[in-house]
Every structure is written in structure tokens, then in C-alpha cells.
């Protein structure tokens, strides 16, 4: 009996071991695999030293890909045809540390463009684009070192207030030029050089506003005076006509004389 039972027990043991191994593999796959967002088809995603790098340079992109891996640490979007950075463009990329958007065609940056990466972002490159101005809120809480060189900046109060809060890249800070300005004499000069000379664009803004307000008030005052003059002259003309009408009416003495004449004749 022992000899007959030996092979059966051995087969059962092998079968049990096989099921156990299969179950273990299925169990391990089910509980240890982590969903990973696929790399955008227009990009190349690699892992370097445990960091996810998404390389989308020179891919003729016209907008920022929406399906970026959430664990992206370095995102390279340089040398494309991107024209706009919309609200919440990077809101899911909470580990993003470096963002390169240089050499694009960016003209507008929304106020909430960098929401979600305020605390993590360390390097931001927006050089060589077509940005003329940005809203104050766009960079308000960023702690990153930022490059804004070689853009057609319009130097005025808002830009001055934006730059006051930024940590500009010291290597490119002198390349932030005033393409245009509230005063033409500052066009073509480095913005930092203009500000360091003591120029305050916000003063120009206030002065311009005051002049515009003065011109507007003067215009309204002139209109009121013109109306009063017209009103007085018009009333004077009416009064003169009324007086002439009253003078043209027969007086009471004339009426009495005419009545006496009629009575005498009768």
C-alpha cells in the first residue's frame, strides 16, 4: 500500500505546488503592480536615477500634451510651436522640478498656468518666445529660478511688479530687454538696467492715469459750461420775445379812450 500511495502522493504534491506557484504569481501581480500613465506618443519617457524624464523637444507640438506621466520630474518641451500656456497645464505634475519651454512661440500665459507646481518647481525656462506681458498671478508663488530672456517684453508697471517677486536666472537677467516701453526712450534697453537707474514704471502709469482723468473732467466741465450758456441765451431770447409781445398789446388807457370815443359817437 505504501508503494502504491507513494507515486500518487508525489503527483498530488507536484500539482499542489504548481497551483500554489500560479496563485502566488497572480497574487503578486495583482497587488504589486502600480498603474502608470503611458508616455505621450509624441514624447520619449525615460527613467534616470529614479527620476522620470519626459523629452518632447523638437516634436512640432502646438500645445502642451495632456497625458503626461504624473511622476514626471523633468519635462523638456523646447523647440516646438506652442503658443499658449493654459490654466492648470501642469496641475497633476506634483513632482515636477524642471520645465523647459524655451524656443517656442508662446504669446500668452494664463494666471493659473503653474498651479500645482508652485512648491516643487525649481527651474523654469521661458526664454526665446513671444511673450510681451504676463498677469501678476502667473508667477506669484513660484520659487523656481526663471529665465525670461529674448522675449519682446513691453516694459510697464505690471511687468515691473511681476519681476519684483521672481528669482531670475542671473546668467540671463541682462537679456530681458524692453522691446517696447511706456516711454520710447527705454525701448531696446535691458529692463534690469532701466530699473536699477531708479526708473519706476508705475509712476508713469499713475501720471498717465491722472492726465487722462484730468482731460476727461475738463471735457465734462466744458460741456456743462456750454450747456449753461446755451440755456441762459435761449431763455433770454424767450424772455425778449415775451416782452415784445406784451408791449404789442394795447394798454388799458388806450382801451378806455377808444370806448369813450365809441360812446360819444353813439
Amino acid at each position: 500500500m505504501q508503494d502504491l500511495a507513494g507515486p500518487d502522493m508525489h503527483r498530488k504534491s507536484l500539482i499542489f505546488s504548481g497551483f500554489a506557484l500560479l496563485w502566488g504569481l497572480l497574487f503578486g501581480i495583482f497587488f504589486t503592480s502600480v498603474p502608470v500613465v503611458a508616455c505621450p506618443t509624441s514624447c520619449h519617457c525615460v527613467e534616470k536615477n529614479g527620476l522620470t524624464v519626459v523629452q518632447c523637444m523638437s516634436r512640432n507640438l502646438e500645445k502642451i500634451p495632456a497625458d503626461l506621466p504624473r511622476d514626471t520630474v523633468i519635462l523638456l518641451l523646447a523647440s516646438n510651436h506652442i503658443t499658449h500656456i493654459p490654466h492648470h497645464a501642469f496641475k497633476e505634475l506634483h513632482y515636477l522640478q524642471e520645465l523647459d519651454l524655451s524656443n517656442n512661440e508662446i504669446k500668452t500665459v494664463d494666471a493659473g498656468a503653474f498651479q500645482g507646481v508652485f512648491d516643487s518647481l525649481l527651474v523654469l525656462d521661458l526664454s526665446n518666445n513671444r511673450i510681451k506681458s504676463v498677469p501678476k498671478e502667473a508667477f506669484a508663488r513660484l520659487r523656481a529660478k526663471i529665465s525670461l530672456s529674448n522675449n519682446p517684453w513691453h516694459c510697464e508697471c505690471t511687468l515691473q511688479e511681476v519681476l519684483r517677486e521672481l528669482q531670475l536666472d542671473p546668467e540671463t537677467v541682462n537679456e530681458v530687454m524692453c522691446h517696447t516701453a511706456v516711454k520710447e526712450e527705454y525701448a531696446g534697453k535691458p529692463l534690469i538696467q532701466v530699473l536699477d537707474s531708479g526708473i519706476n514704471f508705475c509712476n508713469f502709469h499713475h501720471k498717465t492715469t491722472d492726465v487722462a482723468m484730468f482731460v476727461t473732467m475738463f471735457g465734462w466741465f466744458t460741456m456743462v459750461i456750454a450747456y449753461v450758456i446755451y440755456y441762459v441765451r435761449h431763455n433770454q431770447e424767450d424772455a425778449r420775445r415775451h416782452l415784445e409781445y406784451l408791449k404789442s398789446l394795447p394798454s388799458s388807457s388806450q382801451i378806455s379812450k377808444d370806448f369813450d370815443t365809441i360812446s360819444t359817437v353813439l
Side-chain angles (χ1 to χ4, degrees):
M1 292 293 292
Q2 290 180 353
D3 294 338
L4 293 175
D8 291 338
M9 291 295 294
H10 182 66
R11 282 196 298 272
K12 289 180 180 179
S13 177
L14 289 175
I15 293 172
F16 178 78
S17 298
F19 275 114
L21 179 60
L22 178 62
W23 175 252
L25 289 172
L26 293 174
F27 186 88
I29 291 172
F30 181 78
F31 284 99
T32 61
S33 62
V34 178
V36 178
V37 178
C39 186
T41 55
S42 56
C43 302
H44 177 61
C45 301
V46 296
E47 186 173 321
K48 294 182 179 180
N49 300 323
L51 305 178
T52 300
V53 179
V54 181
Q55 201 277 96
C56 309
M57 299 172 63
S58 303
R59 301 300 176 95
N60 293 318
L61 298 177
E62 296 183 356
K63 61 181 181 180
I64 297 168
D67 52 348
L68 295 165
R70 294 190 178 186
D71 60 345
T72 299
V73 175
I74 300 175
L75 177 56
L76 307 176
L77 289 162
S79 302
N80 284 291
H81 304 292
I82 299 170
T83 60
H84 174 58
I85 306 179
H87 290 283
H88 304 140
F90 312 101
K91 67 175 181 178
E92 302 295 338
L93 308 183
H94 302 300
Y95 303 101
L96 188 63
Q97 295 182 13
E98 182 177 340
L99 176 58
D100 187 356
L101 284 159
S102 63
N103 295 291
N104 274 279
E105 300 171 13
I106 299 170
K107 294 181 179 179
T108 56
V109 180
D110 285 350
F114 301 103
Q115 285 187 4
V117 297
F118 286 133
D119 296 326
S120 63
L121 196 63
L122 301 177
V123 178
L124 172 61
D125 193 346
L126 286 168
S127 61
N128 296 291
N129 279 284
R130 301 181 181 179
I131 308 171
K132 295 182 178 180
S133 62
V134 290
K136 297 178 184 177
E137 300 80 6
F139 304 134
R141 294 169 51 196
L142 278 177
R143 300 181 299 174
K145 182 174 66 175
I146 303 176
S147 177
L148 299 173
S149 60
N150 298 314
N151 280 281
W153 293 108
H154 176 64
C155 294
E156 38 77 45
C157 182
T158 301
L159 181 60
Q160 176 180 314
E161 292 181 344
V162 168
L163 295 185
R164 184 181 300 161
E165 305 296 329
L166 297 185
Q167 181 184 345
L168 292 177
D169 179 12
E171 296 182 2
T172 61
V173 67
N174 290 321
E175 298 173 11
V176 181
M177 308 289 289
C178 293
H179 184 72
T180 57
V182 289
K183 282 197 171 185
E184 293 185 3
E185 60 189 283
Y186 303 118
K189 295 183 178 180
L191 176 56
I192 298 301
Q193 177 182 327
V194 174
L195 296 178
D196 286 346
S197 67
I199 300 302
N200 188 337
F201 289 113
C202 294
N203 285 343
F204 298 148
H205 175 74
H206 294 321
K207 289 179 181 178
T208 303
T209 303
D210 292 343
V211 170
M213 185 177 296
F214 174 77
V215 171
T216 302
M217 292 179 64
F218 180 77
W220 279 106
F221 181 75
T222 302
M223 290 177 62
V224 170
I225 294 298
Y227 176 77
V228 170
I229 293 174
Y230 168 79
Y231 180 79
V232 170
R233 288 183 177 179
H234 182 73
N235 284 349
Q236 285 178 342
E237 183 66 20
D238 287 345
R240 186 183 63 80
R241 291 174 181 175
H242 184 66
L243 183 60
E244 290 179 353
Y245 171 76
L246 291 176
K247 289 181 178 180
S248 66
L249 294 176
S251 62
S252 59
S253 59
Q254 182 65 37
I255 294 175
S256 178
K257 289 180 179 180
D258 292 341
F259 181 77
D260 292 340
T261 304
I262 294 172
S263 298
T264 305
V265 173
L266 294 176

